[in-house]
Amino acid sequence: MATPDRFRLDGQVVLLTGAGRGLGRAMALSYADAGAKVAGSSRTLSQLEETAELVAERGGEAISIATDVTDPAAVEAMVAETIDRFGRVDILMNNAGGGADGDGSPLEQLTDEQWRWGIDMNLTSQMLCARAVLPHMTERGSGVIINVASGFGLRGGRDNWMYVSAKAGVVNFTRSLAVTYGPAGVRTNCIAPGIFPHTPQALERWRGGRYIPIGRVGLAWEMGPLAVFLSSDAAAGISGETIAQDGGGLAAIGPTGWAPRVRLTEPT
């Protein structure tokens, strides 16, 4: 097989959560370009349908499944519908997640409900999706799972509780999946995105990427080629890894301008 062919995903089926916008939509388009069929999932059906239309414009095939990925029954139904429509699931892209109400507040003000919701949205959801799809993959003897964490899963953040804790859990959950299910033919890896702002306000918050070593923030389309690579035969020997796509932020002394600001004191 020629090297370029190893990056192709012709005839394969990817189940992609959080596909309605942002990085999820960008990855859906890249998967379609590589020849994969896309089962897109998110809470908002209208956004999913927009993604499916964009996939169709590129000559691809996509279906939309509105799903609450924190609901075990809904996740099982999502996987069942994907298999019913496409006959298989070759790739699970666990992308759904996001900031949680309560992050940004002092810990003593955090409620139990805020903690549980933040953990469920960013970690439990990935467990539920993996649990639902693994029997199908192990029965076939092949499959790829890619979990999306964050650079904040590899460092702390001021008044950031659920998000950093959940994303750190995703990193080690990925490793355990790789160790446990690798012998059954299932590869599992993790992508840790850096700063990918989707609004002018977010871009301003991150100072346009001033503190990122490459000198700019991430562009949504850049996630797609990495996702395709990790899903393809070109990455057949890669499993259990977390790959940071952050412009070198984690390599910097003060990563991405998010080093803690502290009051200076005189040495004693």
Side-chain angles (χ1 to χ4, degrees), residues 22 38 61 84 94 102 121 156 180 203 210 220 235:
V38 180
E61 184 177 357
D84 181 63
N94 253 332
M121 185 68 250
T180 304
L203 183 61
R210 176 181 173 188

Side-chain angles (χ1 to χ4, degrees), residues 6 15 59 102 106-107 127 148 165 179 186 189 206 213-214 216 218 224 245 259:
R6 296 187 183 277
L15 174 54
L107 184 61
M127 181 279 292
V148 175
S165 299
V179 170
V186 180
N189 286 295
W206 293 106
I214 64 170
R216 63 169 176 83
Q245 181 136 338

Side-chain angles (χ1 to χ4, degrees), residues 85-100:
R85 294 287 296 275
F86 287 140
R88 57 196 292 158
V89 176
D90 298 285
I91 303 152
L92 169 64
M93 168 54 75
N94 253 332
N95 171 63

Side-chain angles (χ1 to χ4, degrees), residues 142-264:
S142 65
V144 173
I145 296 174
I146 302 174
N147 299 320
V148 175
S150 167
F152 277 112
L154 301 169
R155 62 174 183 265
R158 173 175 290 170
D159 291 330
N160 195 328
W161 311 113
M162 293 78 72
Y163 190 77
V164 299
S165 299
K167 292 302 188 181
V170 168
V171 171
N172 256 9
F173 179 59
T174 297
R175 292 174 177 142
S176 290
L177 285 174
V179 170
T180 304
Y181 293 98
V186 180
R187 291 191 299 109
T188 307
N189 286 295
C190 181
I191 299 174
I195 307 305
F196 285 80
H198 303 308
T199 66
Q201 294 79 7
L203 183 61
E204 174 63 24
R205 179 190 181 204
W206 293 106
R207 307 173 183 88
R210 176 181 173 188
Y211 294 103
I212 299 173
I214 64 170
R216 63 169 176 83
V217 297
L219 305 175
W221 71 264
E222 293 173 317
M223 282 284 289
L226 177 57
V228 168
F229 165 66
L230 290 174
S231 302
S232 72
D233 286 344
I238 302 175
S239 193
E241 298 299 325
T242 295
I243 299 176
Q245 181 136 338
D246 68 348
L250 287 168
I253 295 174
T256 62
W258 204 250
R261 295 185 297 273
V262 299
R263 180 178 301 169
L264 299 179

Side-chain angles (χ1 to χ4, degrees), residues 13 37-40 45 52 61-66 77-89:
V13 176
K37 299 176 182 179
V38 180
L45 184 59
E61 184 177 357
I63 62 172
S64 302
I65 310 172
M78 173 186 69
V79 172
E81 182 172 349
T82 301
I83 294 173
D84 181 63
R85 294 287 296 275
F86 287 140
R88 57 196 292 158
V89 176

